Amino acid sequence: MARVFSGVQPSGTLHLGNYLGAFRQWVAMQEEFDCFYCVVDLHSLTVEQDPAELRRKTIETAAGFLAVGVDPGRSTLFVQSHVHEHAELAWLMESTIAFGELSRMTQFKEKSAGKASVRASLFTYPALMAADILLYDTDRVPVGDDQRQHIELTRDAAIRFNGRYGETFVVPEAVLPAHAARVMDLQQPRNKMSKSESSPQGTIDLVDPPEAISQKVRRAVTDTDGSLRYDPSAKPGLSNLIELLASVSGRSIEEITSSYSQYGPLKADLADALVAALAPVRERYGQLMADPAELSALLEQGAEKAAAVAAKTLARAKDAVGLLPRA
Ligand code: AMP
Ligand code: TRP
């Protein structure tokens, strides 16, 4: 069975963009693939974190994975720092990837721009990400568009390592979502819905109660020209709502634009569809957060399964570069 790996940082509240842009693919992929899903807490240390909050968000993010339908019976769900092989293989990746390659990463340029001080790990972050992926002999990596450059670098690193030291790593491929690759903010529809930059009214959290979801959709910014058509550059707000309805309902954009003549009914149907999709997620999330012992047991099982695979790959890689095995 082909292998899938993906990860999300525990750095905020999970929102509709994460759900439609990432988690839904993760859940669907369980049907066909052997999936490893990881809360990448080491990646979060690339910027300042409050220790207590980091711990809390790590648990919340894991609960979020399970609540959207990641099935621990079929997939391996774990916390990155529980499997020390990630940090160790990252060193070998830093010794494979060139300084110049890391300097060209657009995410690093964006996140470091204008900062007086930037952590070294923010710069080497793609090497850790390559280690995450390569440790599991991953074939496919479902990610949003923003991560595509990091996957390219991972491929280059795997090919280079294999060429220099012999076949060691599987060369992975990125898988981008077909729909809703970019969910926009409901109040500022030219910006991506995001945990760090959006206003609460512009973001739908996975655990928002039904009234809040309906209200945010009702108040979503559109435009005043009144013509109902899909045109992301001229009508970003309305087009985002159409795209969202297509994504949650499975209806096509053409069918949606031809069945409504006013914004109000479209918003009402979108609100209903989102409430229906998110209600079970919210309920399951509540149950999981109420039982920390069960959650922690699931993460322990996941770490054990992940470590068994990771240890073998790391041993292979260390041996290949000439690190002396312990007697
Ligand atoms: P982040 O929350 O930025 O760490 O991203 C976690 C995952 O959710 C990544 O695969 C992102 O590509 C995806 N994601 C985050 N925000 C959005 C959005 N507004 N639209 C679509 N996908 C998103
Ligand atoms: N860098 C990714 C992000 O910020 C998270 C991530 C870390 C990841 N390791 C990964 C995603 C491995 C896919 C595969 O969203």
Side-chain angles (χ1 to χ4, degrees):
M1 211 193 305
R3 191 62 63 75
V4 163
F5 183 98
S6 198
V8 170
Q9 295 189 43
S11 46
T13 323
L14 299 173
H15 56 73
L16 191 62
N18 299 133
Y19 178 60
L20 297 177
F23 297 158
R24 257 195 346 177
Q25 284 67 245
W26 292 21
V27 171
M29 286 179 118
Q30 299 181 116
E31 305 295 330
E32 267 183 86
F33 303 107
D34 180 21
C35 301
F36 284 68
Y37 295 131
C38 186
V39 184
V40 289
D41 55 350
L42 296 174
H43 276 95
S44 294
L45 297 178
T46 53
V47 295
E48 170 63 21
Q49 302 288 338
D50 175 71
E53 199 151 301
L54 178 60
R55 252 187 304 273
R56 180 174 63 77
K57 285 178 178 165
T58 301
I59 293 169
E60 287 177 1
T61 304
F65 284 9
L66 293 163
V68 300
V70 170
D71 172 2
R74 283 189 288 178
S75 300
T76 305
L77 168 68
F78 69 106
V79 174
Q80 186 185 30
S81 65
H82 290 178
V83 180
H84 64 78
E85 283 82 358
H86 288 251
E88 218 175 325
L89 185 63
W91 184 257
L92 298 192
M93 288 298 113
E94 285 177 41
S95 310
T96 302
I97 295 169
F99 183 88
E101 288 175 308
L102 291 174
S103 312
R104 284 193 287 278
M105 294 293 114
T106 52
Q107 185 177 291
F108 174 73
K109 291 188 210 167
E110 280 166 22
K111 292 196 174 177
S112 59
K115 301 255 160 66
S117 165
V118 168
R119 295 184 182 185
S121 60
L122 187 69
F123 185 69
T124 57
Y125 165 124
L128 177 59
M129 179 160 166
D132 297 341
I133 296 167
L134 299 181
L135 269 179
Y136 299 95
D137 293 333
T138 303
D139 301 288
R140 291 164 199 238
V141 190
V143 280
D145 200 46
D146 54 340
Q147 296 300 318
R148 207 201 303 221
Q149 197 186 25
H150 293 155
I151 310 294
E152 267 316 303
L153 183 60
T154 302
R155 289 171 57 84
D156 292 345
I159 292 167
R160 184 174 311 149
F161 191 104
N162 289 345
R164 173 68 182 82
Y165 303 112
E167 279 308 308
T168 307
F169 296 123
V170 172
V171 180
E173 223 167 89
V175 185
L176 302 172
H179 261 299
R182 260 172 95 78
V183 174
M184 309 311 278
D185 185 295
L186 297 178
Q187 290 299 315
Q188 292 167 322
R190 294 197 187 272
N191 300 339
K192 209 173 100 163
M193 188 180 286
S194 110
K195 47 201 171 195
S196 44
E197 279 133 64
S198 298
S199 66
Q201 283 299 314
T203 311
I204 292 180
D205 288 342
L206 282 193
V207 297
D208 271 347
E211 317 78 70
I213 296 174
S214 302
Q215 196 212 55
K216 287 175 186 178
V217 173
R218 228 175 19 247
R219 294 188 185 162
V221 167
T222 49
D223 53 66
T224 51
D225 86 6
S227 89
L228 204 144
R229 58 198 162 81
Y230 180 75
D231 182 347
S233 60
K235 296 162 77 72
L238 182 69
S239 302
N240 187 39
L241 299 180
I242 294 171
E243 180 104 21
L244 284 174
L245 184 56
S247 174
V248 281
S249 68
R251 296 164 67 183
S252 71
I253 304 254
E254 298 71 47
E255 194 268 316
I256 292 169
T257 48
S258 63
S259 28
Y260 299 90
S261 54
Q262 289 174 313
Y263 298 178
L266 175 102
K267 283 183 165 181
D269 285 358
L270 175 59
D272 290 347
L274 288 175
V275 166
L278 296 181
V281 173
R282 179 165 181 261
E283 189 181 331
R284 177 97 179 97
Y285 183 85
Q287 292 163 351
L288 287 157
M289 291 302 287
D291 192 351
E294 193 208 322
L295 191 55
S296 137
L298 286 174
L299 290 177
E300 177 48 32
Q301 285 165 22
E304 217 167 289
K305 272 167 67 187
V309 178
K312 287 196 192 128
T313 318
L314 178 66
R316 209 163 66 220
K318 286 170 77 172
D319 187 48
V321 299
L323 297 173
L324 183 69
R326 272 177 77 170

